[in-house]
Amino acid sequence: MLLSLRNVSKSYTTAEGRLEILKSIDFDLDAGESVALTGESGSGKSTLLHLAGGLDHPDTGQILSVGRDIAALEDQGRAEYRRTAVGLVFQQFNLIPSLDIGANISFHARLAGRHDPGWERELVQRLGIEPLLARYPDQLSGGQQQRVAIGRTLAARPPLVLADEPTGNLDEVTGDAVLDIMLSLTRSAGAALLMVTHSSRLAQRLDRRVHLHGGKIA
Amino acid sequence: MFWTAATALLSHWRCRPIQFATLVFGLSLATALWSGVQAINAEARASYARAASVLDQNALTQLVPRDGNSIPQATFANLRRAGWNISPVIEGDHRFGNVRVRLIGIDPLTTPGKVGGFEPDGSNDLAAFVSQPGVLIVSQATALKLSSHTDMQIKIAPDIPDGAAFTDIGMAERILERRGELSRLVVAPDQRPDLPALDRLAPEIAIKPPGDRPDVAQLTDSFHLNLTAFGFLAFAVGLFIVYATIGLAFEQRRATFRTLRSLGVSLSSLTLLLMTELLVLAFLAGLVGVMIGYFVASLLLPGVAATLQGLYGASVPGTLTIRPEWWATGLVVAIAGTIGSSAQSLWQVRRMPLLTAAQPRAWARARAVGIRLQLLGGLVLLITSAILAVFGHGLSTGFAVLGCLLLGAALMLPGVLSAFLALLQRQSSHALVTWFWADTRQQLPGLSLALMALLLALAANIGVGTMVSSFRLTFIGWLDQRLAAELYLTARDENEASRLRAWLPAHSTSVLPIWSVEGDVLGDRLQIFGAAANDSTYRENWPLLLGTADVWDRVAAGQGALVNEQLWRGKKLSIGNELALPGGWSVPVVGIYSDYGNPRGQVIVGIDALAAHYPNVPKLRYGVRIAPADAPALKERMTSEFGLPAENVIDQASLKRQSRAVFDQTFAVTGALNVFTLGVAGFAMFSSLLTLSGVRLPQLAPVWAMGITRRDLALLEMLRTLALWLATFVVAVPVGLGLAWVLLSIVNVEAFGWRLPMRIFPTDWLVLGLVALAAAIVSVVIPLRRLATIGPSDLLRVFANER
């Protein structure tokens, strides 16, 4: 088992009081598996993704990922986990605006100590972003930026890829193309993929679908 | 509608109280330093005018001797008989004990108007004024100093400047030993219409029209210009804060502007609302600024008064009067500064298309393009500065050189830093280091104004510090040479002086008279000293800038005169020029000597020539040469055998100590202004970092998500600030040295008449660097704390899809 959540709960304090987002969630993800996480707005999809990625920590429960209990890790340990074990793809792309595309692609891999120029070259070719390497993020379209974000994630060869609505900012045709590339590359890299999406059509293309409702797996 | 729209606009400040405080405080600070300096200038100028109207009666026409000597009593009598309604004045410097005062003798029956609020012919006792022991009318401060040194009755009048005393003309004649020689004649406003022409009655007398600017006001012009330049520099640095804050506030409200316009608020109404908002803010900040300015001026004024006294002998009170004109000026400056700082932002709002999407980082990107233009503009200004320095003349040109140098360097700074950071980025191979330099470079547009302000403050500190320290070192070296005599004594009267002249040669190595007269030379009133030029003391110790080989022999023989650097430069004299001296004689200029600290021209002739041409010269002061070990015993003997007060015999070490104390006090105000300017620059840095920290999360969150801890990110932010500080400091050193060179070689020469060699003081830079470093660390503490303790939920908001 690559990722395992046991009895995980998470709540936030809001102006209206305490809001329980996730309620005693149990969830498993195998290595190389791809899973779509669906549900209505506010159902807890992104929160679950953030907990799995070590971006946030649960109120209760255990999260075992890539052989470690990340819920028990301190800030330093979680940072190391994000650096070496997880790849994150966001709807807003979140590229680094001060670096050119070439530097963006290799950035995470360098941080993780897994810089492999040959693998990066192959990724760049397969993503079709070779001519864009010297440009900066704000000079690229949304589809191009998302392909760069996928390239950056996979260049670091993480065993777990977490994607939060990666095609949400893209039109249907571009979104499909980006998802094709992401599925193909994660499979060839042997990585597991957990993807949040609102789209049933896209969810069907993954190995498995998990639906969240009211903070629980339906 | 207006109120509803205004509420929406103003709500921005409610959500960002620190940004609001930064804007108001930045503008207040800028106004404070500007209006503080203006308050000091206004107070000093009012004081000069008051002193001139009281001491010189310069509101009235005066008759003065053409050759600068004196007016014989007979000439005065002739003019009176011919119907001229004039009043005689005898004036000169006199020491009561060790208190030196300017004694002005007036005729109470004919003098027009009252003297400093005192009317000798009114309710006061006229008989006491004209009869023995006489009355001295002085200020409160002078009265305190004089009380134990004279038997004369002392009366206090409100408007008399410190260090001056009015008395009856008969008393002044006796005390100053003038024997009927008048200094000037004051012409009463009411005169007969058929007066005979002055040229025919007394051709040796000239008419001095009323309303001439007081000499001291002209002398101190350059000092006040310096002060104004400092005030303006601080104001400009403060406006950088305002410009940056307004720019950011406008950028952050772009979405609100778009919404308001789409809801039907016209572009004109929106502009009007924004302008009103800015004007109200400017008015409030201006009021606060003027109030702070008053306190700044109150703090600085005693230092300024000491500076003016030390450099120019000008007396300015150490307390401040509230004047409506600088309240008004302060407010106008605050409003004008705000309009100037916000013009670009307002213009962008007017040009913004209705459907433009909000772009939180657009302002930074637009400014990145501007950096290249700035670089070009800065280069043009630096070249202009160099051309003006080589080919220009005059004080205004000196300040233009300074302005172009500082502004040019400031404008070039972001471009230079950007190029340097790009180079470092290319050189680095580690991902995080590459990102660090790239991200620092991207922050430059947002930080450039603060960095420019820091550069200006650091360069001003280095430049002015180098100037003052060079001055100090040269001055002390010069003092060591010039104050060669072991003892300096002042006799209380001519009898005592005569006895000392007879006694001293047998008890000392040599006796050097320090005698001087005042007179008009080349159109200026200045002092003419006599020197015992045969004595080796002068040849061995007197620092000459230029001179013929036999300079001292010619001076001793009465065949040559030395002039000080101020007179040489001011009148463009050369060696060999014939110098016409009061009394109708002349000598060639044979040498130039440095005379730091003296604002006026000065001439030295041989002591025998001085005594021959001016037989009435006071002969009270002497320098005494003796083996240093014997000096204390000689001092003791002079005080015991002649009854001389201790303060009338000063040893060399005490005199040097006093001179150094005066020097240090003289530049106290410069130090204070340096600290204020650095403080404003520190606040500019703090406010920029604080405002930037609010928009930094989108750049930092992805790096955090990829496995860099918040603590490490905070550390990197600290390193970034320190790297920018260090780079700015490195650039500030050559700029500061350039500034020092301009001050020493151009501005000082024009303003004071002397040129000083430039010395380098790297340890001073180190101290300044550490102070600036502390300011940089303080400025980054709050933004860093905010970043280091930010919750994951805040960082996650960056990734939120609904953002």
Side-chain angles (χ1 to χ4, degrees):
Chain A
M1 198 67 60
L2 185 75
L3 173 69
S4 171
L5 277 72
R6 289 287 167 269
N7 198 27
V8 168
S9 297
K10 179 71 182 174
S11 56
Y12 290 112
T13 305
T14 66
E16 289 81 32
R18 197 147 182 85
L19 190 65
E20 226 177 331
I21 305 292
L22 293 176
K23 300 168 187 167
S24 302
I25 293 284
D26 291 319
F27 171 77
D28 293 313
L29 178 71
D30 286 329
E33 189 185 14
S34 64
V35 173
L37 202 54
T38 59
E40 65 273 27
S41 291
S43 61
K45 307 185 292 295
S46 291
T47 302
L48 193 152
L49 203 75
H50 292 157
L51 293 176
L55 295 167
D56 208 349
H57 45 90
D59 297 340
T60 56
Q62 188 184 47
I63 304 173
L64 290 170
S65 179
V66 200
R68 58 194 119 180
D69 181 2
I70 57 171
L73 292 175
E74 290 301 312
D75 202 36
Q76 188 75 36
R78 282 209 302 277
E80 197 266 335
Y81 165 72
R82 290 197 301 272
R83 201 161 57 237
T84 56
V86 186
L88 295 154
V89 182
F90 300 101
Q91 183 181 345
Q92 307 283 350
F93 325 129
N94 293 106
L95 298 177
I96 294 171
S98 53
L99 296 178
D100 64 26
I101 298 307
N104 259 290
I105 296 249
S106 62
F107 186 71
H108 194 174
R110 284 174 183 272
L111 284 182
R114 296 197 198 110
H115 179 43
D116 180 350
W119 169 231
E120 278 171 25
R121 244 191 325 275
E122 186 185 331
L123 278 174
V124 165
Q125 276 171 1
R126 291 177 67 179
L127 286 162
I129 52 175
E130 226 171 355
L132 309 177
L133 293 181
R135 294 197 199 169
Y136 282 83
D138 60 358
Q139 296 169 316
L140 268 54
S141 69
Q144 287 171 327
Q145 286 195 56
Q146 196 57 294
R147 277 188 279 161
V148 174
I150 293 165
R152 176 180 69 184
T153 300
L154 295 177
R157 293 184 186 275
L160 174 63
V161 175
L162 302 171
D164 194 356
E165 298 261 17
T167 59
N169 265 354
L170 307 175
D171 62 75
E172 196 170 303
V173 175
T174 312
D176 282 347
V178 165
L179 186 64
D180 285 343
I181 293 169
M182 191 158 75
L183 286 173
S184 149
L185 285 174
T186 46
R187 276 174 192 145
S188 61
L193 170 67
L194 178 61
M195 184 177 88
V196 168
T197 181
H198 275 116
S199 165
S200 299
R201 189 176 60 81
L202 293 179
Q204 281 171 357
R205 299 184 55 192
L206 274 66
D207 298 340
R208 188 152 63 89
R209 177 177 174 173
V210 173
H211 189 74
L212 278 176
H213 178 74
K216 290 187 168 180
I217 292 175
Chain B
M1 180 194 82
F2 268 100
W3 181 241
T4 311
T7 314
L9 285 175
L10 291 173
S11 63
H12 172 83
W13 301 114
R14 199 179 57 241
C15 298
R16 292 178 172 81
I18 295 178
Q19 195 181 55
F20 180 76
T22 303
L23 177 62
V24 173
F25 192 57
L27 191 55
S28 303
L29 216 53
T31 315
L33 287 173
W34 171 260
S35 59
V37 163
Q38 293 312 312
I40 289 170
N41 283 347
E43 191 64 50
R45 288 188 177 127
S47 163
Y48 307 150
R50 198 167 57 237
S53 78
V54 175
L55 290 180
D56 303 336
Q57 292 160 294
N58 75 339
L60 299 168
T61 302
Q62 311 224 11
L63 303 181
V64 294
R66 276 188 198 281
D67 65 358
N69 278 336
S70 55
I71 302 171
Q73 189 92 42
T75 307
F76 166 63
N78 279 345
L79 287 167
R80 286 289 293 189
R81 273 198 295 274
W84 280 76
N85 185 5
I86 49 178
S87 179
V89 175
I90 288 178
E91 62 185 330
D93 288 344
H94 181 73
R95 279 173 188 271
F96 291 93
N98 62 339
V99 183
R100 187 179 166 132
V101 295
R102 188 174 175 201
L103 195 64
I104 301 146
I106 56 165
D107 175 8
L109 297 174
T110 58
T111 193
K114 56 183 182 177
V115 174
F118 178 86
E119 286 184 83
D121 58 346
S123 56
N124 297 289
D125 189 353
L126 184 61
F129 191 74
V130 298
S131 55
Q132 294 287 353
V135 176
L136 289 173
I137 307 168
V138 294
S139 70
Q140 180 102 38
T142 313
L144 280 173
K145 289 185 199 160
L146 274 178
S147 55
S148 59
H149 293 288
T150 178
D151 299 332
M152 295 173 80
Q153 190 186 345
I154 292 172
K155 293 203 169 187
I156 295 166
D159 291 339
I160 307 276
D162 292 345
F166 281 84
T167 189
D168 174 60
I169 191 163
M171 302 294 164
E173 184 185 16
R174 183 181 58 77
I175 294 168
L176 297 171
E177 298 176 18
R178 289 296 168 85
R179 302 188 184 95
E181 288 179 355
L182 307 175
S183 303
R184 54 188 164 90
L185 303 169
V186 181
V187 182
D190 48 328
Q191 298 286 340
R192 269 172 36 193
D194 55 341
L195 280 177
L198 189 68
D199 289 354
R200 195 165 50 80
L201 281 173
E204 73 276 20
I205 285 180
I207 294 179
K208 188 179 168 198
D212 270 9
R213 288 190 68 210
D215 287 350
V216 74
Q218 292 175 23
L219 270 175
T220 52
D221 263 355
S222 54
F223 175 80
H224 292 294
L225 194 58
N226 263 314
L227 217 54
T228 304
F230 243 119
F232 187 74
L233 179 66
F235 181 65
V237 168
L239 281 192
F240 282 0
I241 305 172
V242 177
Y243 176 81
T245 315
I246 288 177
L248 183 64
F250 271 53
E251 190 57 46
Q252 287 173 336
R253 288 192 292 183
R254 266 179 177 252
T256 311
F257 299 160
R258 203 180 64 230
T259 308
L260 285 174
R261 286 196 57 199
S262 62
L263 291 175
V265 177
S266 72
L267 187 57
S268 323
S269 304
L270 182 62
T271 313
L272 189 67
L273 276 169
L274 288 169
M275 281 197 72
T276 311
E277 175 198 67
L278 286 171
L279 289 176
V280 171
L281 277 175
F283 184 77
L284 290 175
L287 271 183
V288 176
V290 174
M291 282 190 268
I292 300 173
Y294 179 80
F295 288 108
V296 168
S298 305
L299 284 175
L300 290 180
L301 195 60
V304 172
T307 304
L308 290 164
Q309 183 71 50
L311 279 177
Y312 306 99
S315 174
V316 173
T319 50
L320 199 65
T321 316
I322 294 177
R323 293 170 197 282
E325 63 264 29
W326 61 259
W327 273 89
T329 317
L331 286 177
V332 168
V333 157
I335 290 168
T338 309
I339 291 172
S341 307
S342 57
Q344 191 192 356
S345 298
L346 279 170
W347 178 246
Q348 280 173 349
V349 169
R350 284 197 69 80
R351 289 178 57 199
M352 184 179 77
L354 183 59
L355 294 175
T356 299
Q359 294 174 302
R361 293 293 298 160
W363 62 286
R365 281 203 297 273
R367 282 192 202 155
V369 177
I371 280 181
R372 281 193 286 277
L373 286 175
Q374 262 181 242
L375 195 66
L376 193 67
L379 195 64
V380 170
L381 280 172
L382 285 189
I383 292 169
T384 311
S385 174
I387 292 171
L388 284 174
V390 174
F391 298 107
H393 300 286
L395 190 62
S396 309
T397 309
F399 278 105
V401 172
L402 273 187
C404 288
L405 171 70
L406 286 177
L407 193 60
L411 284 176
M412 286 186 75
L413 180 72
V416 170
L417 289 181
S418 178
F420 185 61
L421 289 169
L423 182 72
L424 288 170
Q425 187 188 339
R426 276 198 297 276
Q427 297 296 317
S428 54
S429 54
H430 191 276
L432 204 59
V433 179
T434 310
W435 168 77
F436 176 78
W437 293 125
D439 193 55
T440 306
R441 195 163 160 233
Q442 209 201 19
Q443 297 311 304
L444 268 184
L447 280 171
S448 65
L449 283 169
L451 292 172
M452 285 157 71
L454 185 65
L455 175 76
L456 288 178
L458 288 172
N461 268 271
I462 291 170
V464 176
T466 303
M467 189 267 281
V468 173
S469 298
S470 294
F471 194 1
R472 192 171 200 280
L473 212 62
T474 310
F475 180 73
I476 287 169
W478 172 81
L479 264 187
D480 284 343
Q481 280 188 297
R482 185 137 162 193
L483 294 180
E486 282 68 28
L487 293 172
Y488 289 86
L489 70 94
T490 306
R492 284 167 294 184
D493 54 44
E494 184 49 43
N495 281 339
E496 191 173 63
S498 173
R499 283 190 291 129
L500 280 164
R501 278 200 298 274
W503 184 83
L504 274 170
H507 298 88
S508 61
T509 315
S510 64
V511 181
L512 309 172
I514 307 172
W515 302 345
S516 68
V517 292
E518 258 194 19
D520 281 6
V521 179
L522 298 170
D524 285 344
R525 192 151 189 88
L526 44 79
Q527 280 190 305
I528 303 158
F529 275 86
N534 278 329
D535 193 283
S536 61
T537 302
Y538 289 100
R539 293 161 201 263
E540 288 164 8
N541 295 292
W542 204 268
L544 288 182
L545 297 174
L546 278 176
T548 56
D550 55 351
V551 48
W552 291 109
D553 292 334
R554 293 182 67 183
V555 171
Q559 292 165 358
L562 297 169
V563 297
N564 68 356
E565 187 184 0
Q566 292 83 315
L567 187 61
W568 171 57
R569 289 189 191 279
K571 300 295 177 187
K572 297 188 168 48
L573 292 173
S574 303
I575 301 288
N577 281 167
E578 203 64 17
L579 198 64
L581 296 171
W585 66 300
S586 67
V587 277
V589 174
V590 292
I592 317 294
Y593 61 95
S594 47
D595 191 16
Y596 306 121
N598 177 8
R600 294 171 184 274
Q602 197 179 78
V603 178
I604 293 177
V605 296
I607 191 75
D608 296 338
L610 185 86
H613 287 94
Y614 311 104
N616 293 328
V617 58
K619 296 167 182 161
L620 304 179
R621 299 182 64 213
Y622 299 88
V624 181
R625 299 303 312 268
I626 190 169
D630 298 334
L634 181 64
K635 182 178 177 180
E636 179 64 35
R637 285 192 69 183
M638 280 194 284
T639 49
S640 60
E641 291 188 22
F642 289 85
L644 271 174
E647 58 265 29
N648 281 33
V649 188
I650 301 173
D651 60 89
Q652 190 192 82
S654 304
L655 200 56
K656 282 181 182 169
R657 202 167 44 244
Q658 285 171 15
S659 302
R660 283 175 198 171
V662 168
F663 181 92
D664 289 340
Q665 182 60 40
T666 297
F667 286 99
V669 66
T670 313
L673 280 172
N674 267 339
V675 170
F676 275 118
T677 313
L678 200 60
V680 177
F683 184 72
M685 193 82 176
F686 166 74
S687 66
S688 295
L689 287 169
L690 199 63
T691 44
L692 271 183
S693 71
V695 292
R696 287 284 286 145
L697 286 190
Q699 287 121 53
L700 296 176
V703 184
W704 169 76
M706 279 183 271
I708 306 298
T709 60
R710 286 168 294 170
R711 193 181 64 89
D712 288 347
L713 282 175
L715 191 67
L716 286 170
E717 289 292 283
M718 167 71 94
L719 283 176
R720 187 190 324 281
T721 306
L722 296 186
L724 288 174
W725 159 83
L726 182 66
T728 307
F729 184 75
V730 168
V731 176
V733 171
V735 177
L737 290 180
L739 174 68
W741 182 84
V742 176
L743 285 171
L744 288 167
S745 306
I746 302 176
V747 175
N748 273 6
V749 178
E750 297 291 344
F752 302 113
W754 61 69
R755 185 178 182 141
L756 298 160
M758 186 164 136
R759 318 280 180 101
I760 307 290
F761 302 90
T763 42
D764 288 1
W765 307 343
L766 193 66
V767 172
L768 173 67
L770 290 174
V771 171
L773 177 64
I777 291 173
V778 169
S779 72
V780 83
V781 162
I782 294 180
L784 274 193
R785 197 173 163 274
R786 189 189 263 187
L787 178 62
T789 57
I790 194 167
S793 55
D794 291 316
L795 285 159
L796 288 172
R797 217 169 283 142
V798 173
F799 309 118
N801 298 338
E802 291 80 14
R803 180 163 65 101

